[in-house]
């Protein structure tokens, strides 16, 4: 879904980035709905702004936010948590000598690695992939792949937290903190309105997509339950944290976040950048 949005976002007149790998990866996955979305066979405009057009704009802005984070971080060791079909390791202008670790479930890592090779894509940094479940001992797997905790690291957790149970989210940040030398940086997002709203919204999106022929319920993927506020959680663990709301991040890229009632809960979502003291 995210790769499909990136493929469409790359075609926008005022595109915030260009991801040439997103479209071939989506076609390789071969889910009919997303292929038809790329072929313009699914309506983009929709009821109250909750469908494909919104998703493309959200992912466009989110992608550029994380792109900028890595490019501006100035560190030579990066970890992309839950890398999915994100192609940053193949398209960002990483500084010479940068090592990028990508962590995701083994099947996801295996699929993307094979497809990128088939496309003839070459990483723009030294890429080391780590196939492991983030609810398990991923720090051990990361170290086994060569990760050096003495060096500062740039970490991203993009489109991930809602897929982890609340306790796993805490453990993720505890583990990141333990592995982060002073000067390390972390970018992530937080949705203060909680999983309840996200669940309801994703249900509405799934229903609309169902009407368009998709057979998937993305609300099944989310974990509900109270979560710690990421800003407070990180600040209490020695990170200096800055956060911007979604309209602020949109404005930074010359875009405005739609002012509709259905989307009101999403307005408070935060884009977070933290630096380890
Ligand atoms: N960050 C990527 C991006 O923006 O393109 C992918 C986002 S995708 C919505 C969520 C990713 O989280 C998927 O690739 C999925 O495999 C991964 N994920 C979810 N739960 C996970 C877990 N427990 N361990 C490892 N990866 C997980």
């Amino acid at each position: 879904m995210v790769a499909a949005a990136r493929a469409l976002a790359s075609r926008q007149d005022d595109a915030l980035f260009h991801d040439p790998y997103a479209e071939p990866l989506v076609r390789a996955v071969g889910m009919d709905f997303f292929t038809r979305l790329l072929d313009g066979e699914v309506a983009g405009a929709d009821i109250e702004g909750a469908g494909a057009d919104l998703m493309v704009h959200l992912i466009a802005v989110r992608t550029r936010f994380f792109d900028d984070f890595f490019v501006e971080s100035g560190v030579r060791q990066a970890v992309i948590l839950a890398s999915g079909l994100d192609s940053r390791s193949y398209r960002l202008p990483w500084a010479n000598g940068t090592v990028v670790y990508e962590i995701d479930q083994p099947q996801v890592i295996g699929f993307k690695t094979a497809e990128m090779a088939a496309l003839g894509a070459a990483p723009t940094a030294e890429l080391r992939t780590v196939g492991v479940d983030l609810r398990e001992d991923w720090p051990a797997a990361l170290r086994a792949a060569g990760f050096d905790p003495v060096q500062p690291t740039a970490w991203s957790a993009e489109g991930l937290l809602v897929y982890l149970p609340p306790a796993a989210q805490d453990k993720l940040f505890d583990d990141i903190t333990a592995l982060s030398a002073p000067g390390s940086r972390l970018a992530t997002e937080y949705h203060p309105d909680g999983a309840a709203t996200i669940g309801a919204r994703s249900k509405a999106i799934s229903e609309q997509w169902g009407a368009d022929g998709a057979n998937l319920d993305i609300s099944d993927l989310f974990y509900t339950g109270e979560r710690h506020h990421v800003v407070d959680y990180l600040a209490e663990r020695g990170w200096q944290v800055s956060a911007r709301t979604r309209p602020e991040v949109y404005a930074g890229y010359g875009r405005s976040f739609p002012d509709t009632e259905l989307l009101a809960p999403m307005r408070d979502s935060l884009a977070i950048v933290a630096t380890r003291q």
Side-chain angles (χ1 to χ4, degrees), residues 168-212:
Q169 172 180 309
D170 291 349
K171 184 174 178 304
L172 183 84
F173 290 127
D174 293 346
D175 288 339
I176 290 173
T177 301
L179 292 170
S180 290
S184 293
R185 308 198 77 213
L186 164 66
T188 191
E189 320 134 285
Y190 177 61
H191 309 289
D193 59 307
T197 316
I198 289 171
R201 182 165 44 82
S202 58
K203 198 104 199 150
I205 292 172
S206 296
E207 277 164 18
Q208 180 179 334
W209 287 0
D212 284 327

